[in-house]
Amino acid sequence: MQQHIITENATIIEALRRLNSLSGGVMTLAVTDSDRRMTGTLTDGDIRRGLLDGASLTDTVDTIMHRNFRAITPHNHTTDQITTIREFRRQGIRLIPRIDQNGRITDLIDTTRTRSQLPLTAIIMAGGKGERLRPATLTCPKPLLQVAGKPIIDYNTTLLRANGITDITVTVNYLAEQIEQHFSHENLGVKCIREPQPLGTIGAASLIPHRPGHHTLVMNSDLLTTISLEDMWLRHTSQQADITIAAIPYNLSVPYAILTTDNLQVTGLEEKPSYSYYANAGIYIIANHLLQTLPTDRRTDATDLISQAIADRRKVTYYPISGTWIDIGSPADYRHACELMQHHRSMNA
């Protein structure tokens, strides 16, 4: 953050040096006064305009900085902050300051790296055996299988961090030591927790403390997806939901004429009908008060928790995914994921 902050009394030539050092990144400086309060922003465009208007390289930056800056303030509710970041991003603003009640900078959000700042913790379920992918998973846990030179699970941690989610826990069981070793570097900031026994598709969330009044994103570790977690969170909050399920459209075509009947009488005939459904995509946003009800001593699948929430008249909603979603559960899915990401890399090379 500090490389993007400069004081009002710095010279324009010093600002140019600082901007030059940011080459390849977001070339914007936040300007502060002697009390460290933010007073403006500065770009190379501001400097060019200042010099054309007669400024000298030895003048101070407060003479040419942009004073009418926009920032996220403590007055913004969490949801308002997310929509504000979203709007700034759409306007092409690449560096968004967050300031405290005294006007001092607490954070600078680089929208080229962090799309949003979702107030979520995350749990990635990575304890399964991946039996359908054997023999590849006999010696390597499925989350660490390489897709275009990168472990599957790393695509998911990258997705989470890009949305400002940095409190990430991975639950492990099968070949746990390999995943623990993968995340052993402190700079990755990912915690691993072992299941004492297989606890199902969501039961391991019972092993993690959950902050009251907050929400957690829970996802499977074997997904490759471009889901908008920001849109999913905004749907979750707008609906005041207890659980939001990411859903993938699933179409089923029947290659025959289907009869509708009443006892033994045929009442209608539909030729080769198609049916559309929403399938569970293995990504959920769940209120922590529900995760706190999970038992620690027996298996619980996500469908069990959801069914109980529905029975208890909790609000359960869904968010349809648009874009890529691949559940890497079979050799064909794995090949498809590898081909897709290899094509994506070659297109962006």
Side-chain angles (χ1 to χ4, degrees):
M1 184 172 78
Q2 289 303 315
Q3 70 268 26
H4 285 280
I5 299 176
I6 194 169
T7 58
E8 288 180 334
N9 59 3
T11 62
I12 294 174
I13 187 66
E14 182 181 346
L16 281 171
R17 292 193 186 100
R18 294 284 299 280
L19 287 169
N20 188 60
S21 70
L22 297 172
S23 180
V26 178
M27 297 180 67
T28 301
L29 297 173
V31 185
T32 60
D33 63 15
S34 58
D35 290 324
R36 296 185 292 112
R37 291 189 297 261
M38 185 170 176
T39 55
T41 60
L42 190 70
T43 66
D44 56 355
D46 296 319
I47 293 176
R48 284 196 302 273
R49 286 186 289 272
L51 294 175
L52 288 171
D53 288 340
S56 166
L57 289 175
T58 55
D59 289 344
T60 53
V61 297
D62 62 330
T63 61
I64 62 167
M65 69 183 184
H66 179 68
R67 295 179 181 273
N68 189 26
F69 66 91
R70 288 176 288 178
I72 297 171
T73 72
H75 302 295
N76 295 122
H77 183 270
T78 300
T79 302
D80 292 338
Q81 290 185 18
I82 294 167
T83 54
T84 299
I85 293 170
R86 185 189 188 96
E87 184 58 30
F88 285 179
R89 198 173 66 234
R90 286 174 174 170
Q91 294 173 10
I93 298 172
R94 301 174 68 194
L95 196 70
I96 303 173
R98 190 195 301 273
I99 59 177
D100 63 18
Q101 64 273 16
N102 298 313
R104 295 187 176 95
I105 300 171
T106 59
D107 192 17
L108 290 170
I109 302 168
D110 180 349
T111 61
T112 66
R113 298 184 179 184
T114 304
R115 290 183 54 79
S116 196
Q117 289 278 300
L118 303 183
L120 293 166
T121 56
I123 302 172
I124 301 178
M125 297 293 176
K129 294 182 178 180
E131 293 178 332
R132 288 184 294 162
L133 281 171
R134 288 182 176 177
T137 53
L138 286 172
T139 57
C140 178
K142 182 164 64 168
L144 296 186
L145 291 178
Q146 298 278 316
V147 173
K150 182 175 178 177
I152 297 168
I153 197 169
D154 285 1
Y155 287 97
N156 294 318
T157 56
T158 298
L159 173 68
L160 294 171
R161 291 194 188 97
N163 284 276
I165 304 172
T166 56
D167 185 350
I168 304 170
T169 301
V170 177
T171 65
V172 296
N173 183 279
Y174 176 68
L175 299 178
E177 63 283 350
Q178 292 189 36
I179 301 176
E180 291 168 343
Q181 177 61 33
H182 179 71
F183 289 115
S184 62
H185 301 290
E186 290 184 7
N187 63 327
L188 293 177
V190 176
K191 304 180 289 292
C192 291
I193 187 166
R194 285 200 191 197
E195 296 174 292
Q197 62 195 46
L199 291 174
T201 58
I202 205 167
S206 66
L207 307 175
I208 300 164
H210 301 289
R211 187 177 172 186
H214 286 250
H215 303 258
T216 298
L217 186 140
V218 182
M219 69 184 300
N220 297 340
S221 62
D222 54 358
L223 303 176
L224 190 67
T225 180
T226 58
I227 183 175
S228 172
L229 296 180
E230 182 181 68
D231 285 345
M232 185 176 177
W233 166 250
L234 291 173
R235 169 71 64 88
H236 181 76
T237 54
S238 69
Q239 293 296 310
Q240 298 182 315
D242 293 293
I243 300 177
T244 297
I245 306 167
I248 191 74
Y250 185 81
N251 298 314
L252 179 65
S253 297
V254 180
Y256 310 107
I258 298 298
L259 282 63
T260 55
T261 61
D262 182 6
N263 293 323
L264 295 178
Q265 183 176 349
V266 175
T267 59
L269 196 67
E270 187 176 2
E271 183 69 28
K272 299 180 180 178
S274 294
Y275 303 97
S276 296
Y277 303 95
Y278 279 112
N280 181 0
I283 306 169
Y284 318 92
I285 296 176
I286 305 174
N288 285 354
H289 66 83
L290 290 181
L291 293 176
Q292 289 169 338
T293 68
L294 291 169
T296 59
D297 58 349
R298 65 178 185 272
R299 178 187 179 95
T300 308
D301 288 330
T303 50
D304 300 326
L305 180 66
I306 294 166
S307 295
Q308 187 60 55
I310 294 170
D312 292 341
R313 297 186 180 277
R314 302 290 188 179
K315 189 159 189 182
V316 179
T317 63
Y318 71 96
Y319 168 74
I321 297 174
S322 60
T324 300
W325 179 86
I326 303 173
D327 176 8
I328 305 175
S330 69
D333 296 327
Y334 185 38
R335 285 193 299 271
H336 177 47
C338 291
E339 290 167 1
L340 180 68
M341 293 312 299
Q342 194 60 51
H343 175 71
H344 178 74
R345 284 197 171 188
S346 64
M347 292 291 289
N348 289 277

